[in-house]
Amino acid sequence: MSQRPRGPSDSFRHGPLAVSTSDEGAGDSAGTAVQAQGLTKRFGEFTAVDAVDFDIEVGEAFGFLGANGAGKTSTMRMIACLSPISGGTLQVLGLDPMRDGPQIRSRIGLVPQDDTLDLELTVRDNLYLYGRYFGLPRKQLRERVEELLEFARLTERADQRVDPLSGGMRRRLTIARALVSSPSLVILDEPTTGLDPQARHLLWDRLYRLKREGVTLVITTHYMDEAEQLCDRLVVMDAGRIAAAGSPSELIEQWSTREVVELRFEPEGHQVHGERLADLAERVEVLPDRLLLYTDQGDATLDAVRSRGASPIAALVRRATLEDVFLHLTGRSLVD
Amino acid sequence: MSFFPQLPSAVATRQRRARLSPALRAYQYNLLAYKRTWRGSVTTTFLYPVLYLAAIGVGLGHLIDHGSNQAVGGVRYLWFLAPGLLAGTAMQIATNESTFPVMAGIKWLKTYLAMLAAPLEVTDVLYGHLAWILTRVALASGVFLAVMAAFHTVPSGWAVLAFPAAVLTGAAFAAPVMAFSATRETDQSFVVLYRFGIVPLFLFSGTFFPVAQLPGWLQVVARCTPLYQGVTLCRGLVLGHLGGWDALGHAGYLLAMLVGGVLAARVTYRRRLVQ
Ligand SMILES: Nc1ncnc2c1ncn2[C@@H]1O[C@H](COP(=O)(O)OP(=O)(O)O)[C@@H](O)[C@H]1O
Ligand SMILES: [Mg+2]
């Protein structure tokens, strides 16, 4: 035991499970976990993922932010070797998903968008049986299961059936299950969709912990706060394409002003006010329920609005978020 | 505390992996899941055969045997019926296990999808489940034969071979039905399968009465059905009056269904699960 590298992140990078693509980036010891070029997924005539390029570095948390139908799940399924690619190239952990599917899958953890838990079995059995799929030895697996129950804060529920568990608990169980084989890459497809805020925060906390351990995380979400909180880098996906890529702060800097003034008028008034106030901001977005003024000086802009005699029902100045980036890039809100 | 303190050594893991083939891991899931939930299926596996044999075989047989039993080949009705029911039960259990559980694997519980996210392949999922279904059939057939022996309806030593024959009958149904189930969107189709397939087969394939009792053209149809092969094979072995070539013919028919079913299921499973 004492000979082991202290941090598990070390064992990920240098241990037997380490990603073996470091020869590509000379001097870059971490290497690339996932590499996609022109990656395409077609279902019949329909193109769900349209020639996307991205590189995911070992140890980073990489996000795919996009509305429903953007092609996030299709992309995740290709990375997880569950769905054959229709075009382009894809490398996962230095291997070819079309050829080395089982080998790749034995080294990654997948949290699918829809849970695939066995509702009739207990929490513990779900973990144990999944571990057996990986051929993990029984004794080792039993110890691992107890660790994972702790990790997912499900120890008290271990002997209960999954059926009555809350959505948050099921999601934590699914994540714990994905970790059973100690994967170096974990793919999470909408890990917190449908959860209440408390459950989401607990889940985020577990994901931070994984990241600290050096696990590469690939996360899809349509929550911009989730992307901002969790992701080192992300791509904004829209209609099968990548509309922008970068770190959350880079994206905001590139595609939005620093601050946003949100104004609420009588619903019919938004269009009119939008046109009247357009010159006070760099950009104006008219949404059905509010008006957004993009500006670097929020308070000053709001003062200017008031001095024009416009009297919104509600007004607030806030920092720009990824939601604003998304709105700008796609002309739509993330969650409708 | 670090979260991966006992990272399994990948080398050791890999050695273990080689020992348990992936399809066996899928099988093992079913086995362990069954261990936890077996109580629900006790009646179908263990109780029904006894009830059937008692009610129909003993009760009805009493009436028939008091008349003329020439129609059932001159043996006691219970002797005639029991091996037929053995084959019929094998068919039913095989079909039960190849319909709803397959839908559960794909849609309801998504256990297949969980396996595929782990390092299992589509064929592993298929073979593992098929092997499990045959285990269920074997279990039920074994119990049934034991009950038959307890009712003193096993006159011939060949009856030992009725066990693999019953399992083969189940296999001949399981594989094609699995292939079919993997193409279905809802369980509605299973009701149709039962109503127009399994139930008529169960009633008219020589299980309860010799097909010679049927009107001419229906006789031909009945003799061509898969269950007829299973019933005739099992009965012939239990009563010890089956010619070798006949036996091979029936077994060959069933084997062909198994092989054809597996080939079809490989296609439909892949089409459904890999998109
Ligand atoms: N198996 C499939 N067959 C046909 N179309 C599909 C299939 N899976 C996804 N799609 C379509 O591809 C598009 C992208 O879907 P998806 O990748 O699930 O997006 P997201 O996860 O971002 O919501 C959607 O329009 C969806 O309807
Ligand atoms: Mg999705």
Side-chain angles (χ1 to χ4, degrees):
Chain A
M1 269 317 279
S2 57
Q3 291 307 310
R4 292 186 138 278
R6 266 318 301 155
S9 55
D10 290 329
S11 59
F12 280 124
R13 286 183 189 169
H14 308 301
L17 286 175
V19 179
S20 57
T21 52
S22 44
D23 47 331
E24 281 167 9
D28 175 11
S29 67
T32 312
V34 185
Q35 199 166 34
Q37 262 156 22
L39 181 61
T40 300
K41 181 72 203 182
R42 276 185 289 272
F43 297 107
E45 296 288 287
F46 179 73
T47 304
V49 179
D50 194 358
V52 299
D53 303 327
F54 56 86
D55 284 339
I56 302 173
E57 303 298 323
V58 168
E60 77 174 331
F62 192 93
F64 288 79
L65 180 67
N68 276 333
K72 304 183 297 294
T73 296
S74 304
T75 308
M76 294 311 108
R77 287 174 46 81
M78 286 191 283
I79 298 175
C81 317
L82 292 174
S83 168
I85 70 177
S86 319
T89 61
L90 179 65
Q91 276 210 332
V92 182
L93 303 177
L95 300 167
D96 174 5
M98 301 294 264
R99 207 190 51 219
D100 312 312
Q103 203 188 338
I104 296 173
R105 289 202 303 263
S106 70
R107 292 166 58 183
I108 67 180
L110 176 69
V111 176
Q113 182 168 347
D114 300 321
D115 285 329
T116 60
L117 300 166
D118 193 323
L119 305 180
E120 291 162 10
L121 297 179
T122 64
V123 169
R124 184 182 273 116
D125 283 343
N126 264 278
L127 290 171
Y128 181 78
L129 286 171
Y130 197 72
R132 294 295 293 162
Y133 294 159
F134 289 81
L136 298 177
R138 289 163 208 273
K139 184 169 171 296
Q140 213 165 38
L141 179 56
R142 270 194 282 272
E143 287 167 14
R144 181 78 182 143
V145 164
E146 297 311 311
E147 275 168 43
L148 290 168
L149 285 169
E150 274 303 313
F151 173 80
R153 295 227 219 148
L154 288 169
T155 305
E156 257 113 77
R157 302 278 185 157
D159 294 313
Q160 291 181 17
R161 275 161 28 113
V162 171
D163 207 13
L165 295 193
S166 72
M169 289 180 192
R170 286 190 193 187
R171 230 34 198 153
R172 293 207 303 275
L173 177 56
T174 299
I175 292 175
R177 201 181 63 165
L179 299 174
V180 76
S181 61
S182 309
S184 56
L185 170 66
V186 178
I187 299 168
L188 303 118
D189 196 356
E190 304 206 7
T192 68
T193 296
L195 302 188
D196 59 54
Q198 206 182 344
R200 289 176 73 202
H201 282 283
L202 180 53
L203 246 158
W204 287 357
D205 173 67
R206 303 291 99 170
L207 297 181
Y208 283 133
R209 238 181 107 176
L210 279 180
K211 192 160 124 51
R212 262 207 321 272
E213 307 272 344
V215 178
T216 309
L217 299 178
V218 182
I219 301 164
T220 81
T221 181
H222 56 233
Y223 297 121
M224 53 94 188
D225 52 343
E226 184 159 284
E228 267 184 68
Q229 291 275 334
L230 290 177
C231 299
D232 300 315
R233 290 194 305 144
L234 59 100
V235 294
V236 177
M237 263 192 114
D238 185 44
R241 291 170 191 273
I242 289 179
S247 70
S249 57
E250 280 167 9
L251 284 169
I252 292 167
E253 202 168 305
Q254 189 177 353
W255 297 102
S256 176
T257 54
R258 210 165 55 83
E259 296 191 322
V260 185
V261 180
E262 288 202 14
L263 302 173
R264 207 177 295 264
F265 294 97
E266 298 297 337
E268 319 78 57
H270 287 131
Q271 189 63 44
V272 182
H273 284 289
E275 283 159 23
R276 251 187 14 160
L277 303 172
D279 60 307
L280 296 181
E282 277 184 33
R283 199 161 53 79
V284 174
E285 290 282 353
V286 180
L287 300 185
D289 60 335
R290 68 217 140 110
L291 201 59
L292 305 180
L293 304 187
Y294 289 89
T295 168
D296 284 325
Q297 307 283 327
D299 289 323
T301 306
L302 184 54
D303 287 344
V305 168
R306 293 230 160 89
S307 66
R308 283 235 175 136
S311 45
I313 302 166
L316 94 112
V317 176
R318 60 167 173 83
R319 284 188 46 238
T321 67
L322 283 176
E323 175 91 54
D324 300 301
V325 174
F326 190 84
L327 193 62
H328 183 55
L329 288 169
T330 69
R332 287 183 289 114
S333 309
L334 265 168
V335 190
D336 26 87
Chain B
M1 190 199 87
S2 142
F3 180 51
F4 293 111
Q6 290 124 338
L7 250 188
S9 143
V11 180
T13 307
R14 223 162 275 147
Q15 284 169 351
R16 287 297 295 234
R17 268 174 203 161
R19 295 233 295 265
L20 190 60
S21 93
L24 221 51
R25 294 183 212 157
Y27 177 84
Q28 198 185 27
Y29 159 79
N30 288 289
L31 180 66
L32 291 181
Y34 184 66
K35 269 197 202 160
R36 311 284 200 261
T37 57
W38 61 274
R39 285 173 195 82
S41 62
V42 167
T43 31
T44 41
T45 314
F46 301 102
L47 205 57
Y48 280 179
V50 184
L51 289 182
Y52 261 106
L53 282 182
I56 305 181
V58 181
L60 191 62
H62 200 64
L63 293 176
I64 294 171
D65 294 339
H66 272 261
S68 156
N69 61 4
Q70 289 316 304
V72 295
V75 297
R76 288 179 52 203
Y77 183 64
L78 187 56
W79 287 21
F80 172 86
L81 174 72
L85 272 182
L86 170 68
T89 305
M91 170 188 75
Q92 281 202 322
I93 290 186
T95 309
N96 283 345
E97 294 293 316
S98 327
T99 46
F100 298 94
V102 169
M103 187 66 81
I106 296 170
K107 277 182 79 165
W108 297 332
L109 294 175
K110 301 197 172 78
T111 37
Y112 283 179
L113 306 188
M115 291 177 188
L116 292 172
L120 273 57
E121 301 253 50
V122 173
T123 45
D124 301 327
V125 171
L126 172 63
Y127 296 153
H129 197 175
L130 179 59
W132 170 249
I133 293 170
L134 298 190
T135 306
R136 290 293 308 273
V137 173
L139 208 65
S141 302
V143 169
F144 203 104
L145 275 164
V147 172
M148 279 168 64
F151 276 83
H152 303 295
T153 61
V154 190
S156 162
W158 288 105
V160 178
L161 287 180
F163 177 67
V167 177
L168 180 62
T169 305
F173 281 90
V177 172
M178 287 174 93
F180 168 76
S181 299
T183 64
R184 299 293 94 189
E185 282 304 327
T186 69
D187 54 0
Q188 213 55 42
S189 321
F190 300 155
V191 178
V192 177
L193 174 69
Y194 273 91
R195 198 168 290 160
F196 298 103
I198 301 305
V199 172
L201 278 180
F202 191 60
L203 294 176
F204 297 105
S205 301
T207 323
F208 294 96
F209 58 87
V211 293
Q213 302 286 317
L214 290 166
W217 64 276
L218 264 179
Q219 254 183 60
V220 179
V221 174
R223 281 181 207 283
C224 293
T225 62
L227 183 58
Y228 175 80
Q229 322 301 319
V231 166
T232 312
L233 190 59
C234 288
R235 183 173 290 141
L237 290 166
V238 167
L239 300 180
H241 65 30
L242 190 65
W245 288 112
D246 282 349
L248 282 181
H250 296 309
Y253 182 117
L254 296 171
L255 202 61
M257 278 184 68
L258 169 61
V259 172
V262 166
L263 293 177
R266 284 173 62 117
V267 174
T268 60
Y269 265 54
R270 192 169 302 282
R271 198 173 290 158
R272 184 65 180 272
L273 295 169
V274 181
Q275 289 189 345

